[in-house]
Amino acid sequence: MSPAAGRDGVGLYCPAKINLRLRVGPTRTDLGGRHRLDTIYSAVGIWDRVELRPTEPGSGFRLSLEGEQLGDLNRRDADPHANLAVKALLAMAQATGHEPDVAIHIVKRIPVGAGLAGGSADAAGTMLGLNRLWNLGMAAADLDRIAASLGADLPFCLHGGLSRGTGFGQILEPLNPDGLQAQRLSRAGLTGHLLIGAYESQLSTAQVYKAFDLIGPGPHDLNDLQETACTLHPRSRQALDLARRAGIGPAFVSGSGPSVVVMAPRPEQTIALIKLWREQNAVDRIIEADSPVLPRMAPLRVTHG
Ligand code: ATP
C-alpha cells in the first residue's frame, strides 16, 4: 500500500432506494431458495454518508455510527459483524487478499428497517469506497458478484439511478433516462419529487416475505408485496388511503415496507398531505426527496496524527 493510500480516506453519499414496482413470485431453487422478483428500482435522494479510513496495519476494522434514528442499530448489544457495511468490508477483504484494517463511520439518515435499503446502501458505498481506497480498479461485474452474495438490493445500490431488477433482484437492466421505459415512468408521475412517510417501527423483510408465503402467491405468477406489508403494518395502509382519497399520487409502499411513497405532489398537494398525515397520525416522519439519483464519492479531508 502506498504511504498516501495509508492515510487518505474516502467519503461516499449513498442514496436510499424505492421500488416503483415490486412483483414477487415463489421461492426457487435456481435462485438459492430466494423469491423470484420483477421490480423497478429507483435511487432516492435520502443520503447516508459512509466514511472509510485506514487503521493501523493488523488492527482490524472499527465501526461507528451517528444519527438521530438508528433503530435497532443503536442497541447496546448490536454486533458490528451484523452490520451490512462490515459484511461488505470483510467480503471485499476476502476477495482481494487485503487485511480489513479500515474504520467505517456511517452518518445514518435513511430510516432503518424501512424498506428503503439503508443497509444495502451503506454496504454498496463501502464496496465502492474500498475499490478506491485500496486502488483495486475492480470491474463492475466483479463488484456486482460480491454484492449479490450479500443481499438482493445491493447490486442496484452500487449503481443507483433507475433499473429493472429480475432474478432475486440482482439481475439489473439499467433504464436510460432518455429511453422509452424511463419516459413512460416519468409520464406516469413515477420520477421526480416525492414524499416519504416513515415510521419509528421497523418491518423485517424476512417477516414480510414469510407472511407473503403463508398467503400464497395467488392466481398470478408474480404478486405485489404491498398488501402483505399493509396487513402487517396498518398505518401504511392508512397513509396510502389518505393520499389517494385526496387525489395525490401515485402512492405505494416502498419495498417490503413500512415506508410509504407519494410521488410528484404539487407544492399545494405536498402541504395538504403533510397536514392530513399529521392530523391523522398516519406516519411518524415525513421526508421530501427527488429521484432517481446516483451514488456520489467525495474526497475525505486527510487528518494527520
Ligand atoms: P431491505 O433492503 O431488506 O428492504 P430495509 O430497507 O427494510 O431492508 P435496512 O434499513 O436495510 O432495512 O435494515 C434492515 C436490517 O438490517 C435492520 O434490522 C438492521 O439492523 C440491519 N442492518 C445491518 N446493517 C445496517 C446498516 N448499515 N444500516 C441499516 N440497517 C442495517
Side-chain angles (χ1 to χ4, degrees):
M1 191 186 287
S2 74
R7 280 199 309 270
D8 288 352
V10 180
L12 295 105
Y13 290 98
C14 314
K17 68 89 196 137
I18 56 173
N19 301 78
L20 301 184
R21 177 181 84 194
L22 176 54
R23 297 200 189 121
V24 181
T27 54
R28 294 207 345 200
T29 42
D30 61 336
L31 297 176
R34 284 169 281 215
H35 292 81
R36 182 161 91 85
L37 296 193
D38 188 344
T39 187
I40 300 207
Y41 295 111
S42 185
V44 176
I46 307 170
W47 307 91
D48 275 0
R49 182 172 160 87
V50 172
E51 298 176 354
L52 305 176
R53 290 183 177 83
T55 53
E56 284 301 309
S59 66
F61 76 85
R62 286 202 302 271
L63 173 70
S64 52
L65 292 145
E66 94 182 62
E68 283 171 17
Q69 314 246 335
L70 293 174
D72 65 7
L73 297 176
N74 212 12
R75 278 187 6 206
R76 262 162 184 263
D77 59 349
D79 176 5
H81 289 91
N83 197 290
L84 267 173
V86 171
K87 286 188 181 176
L89 165 64
L90 299 180
M92 288 288 283
Q94 193 179 21
T96 63
H98 280 70
E99 290 301 321
D101 298 330
V102 176
I104 304 175
H105 182 70
I106 303 174
V107 183
K108 197 98 198 117
R109 299 192 192 94
I110 304 172
V112 176
L116 297 168
S120 301
D122 299 346
T126 301
M127 292 182 63
L128 294 172
L130 291 172
N131 201 22
R132 170 73 64 92
L133 192 73
W134 289 342
N135 294 315
L136 297 172
M138 249 169 117
D142 293 328
L143 290 171
D144 284 346
R145 210 172 10 258
I146 297 174
S149 74
L150 295 169
D153 294 336
L154 233 142
F156 170 73
C157 292
L158 281 176
H159 302 278
L162 199 60
S163 202
R164 183 173 173 207
T166 52
F168 59 83
Q170 90 288 15
I171 302 171
L172 299 175
E173 182 193 323
L175 305 183
N176 180 327
D178 301 325
L180 208 63
Q181 262 186 295
Q183 283 180 6
R184 212 175 282 146
L185 291 170
S186 165
R187 272 199 303 277
L190 288 166
T191 58
H193 196 63
L194 55 89
L195 274 186
I196 291 192
Y199 297 93
E200 265 152 37
S201 50
Q202 301 184 196
L203 207 49
S204 125
T205 307
Q207 186 195 355
V208 176
Y209 275 96
K210 216 164 148 193
F212 177 84
D213 288 340
L214 284 177
I215 297 164
H220 308 290
D221 181 35
L222 288 165
N223 277 357
D224 207 312
L225 213 54
Q226 176 156 299
E227 186 51 36
T228 314
C230 285
T231 303
L232 292 173
H233 193 268
R235 287 176 78 204
S236 302
R237 193 194 307 281
Q238 183 198 2
L240 292 180
D241 285 348
L242 285 169
R244 288 182 188 139
R245 269 190 255 127
I248 307 172
F252 50 90
V253 165
S254 178
S256 54
S259 300
V260 293
V261 183
V262 180
M263 293 301 307
R266 295 194 300 272
E268 69 277 14
Q269 290 182 316
T270 302
I271 294 165
L273 186 59
I274 290 174
K275 188 163 177 282
L276 269 177
W277 275 355
R278 287 209 174 120
E279 274 170 5
Q280 310 274 331
N281 193 30
V283 302
D284 294 328
R285 277 175 71 197
I286 300 168
I287 307 168
E288 288 192 59
D290 288 292
S291 75
V293 296
L294 299 174
R296 292 201 311 260
M297 191 153 334
L300 198 62
R301 190 176 300 158
V302 183
T303 46
H304 298 277

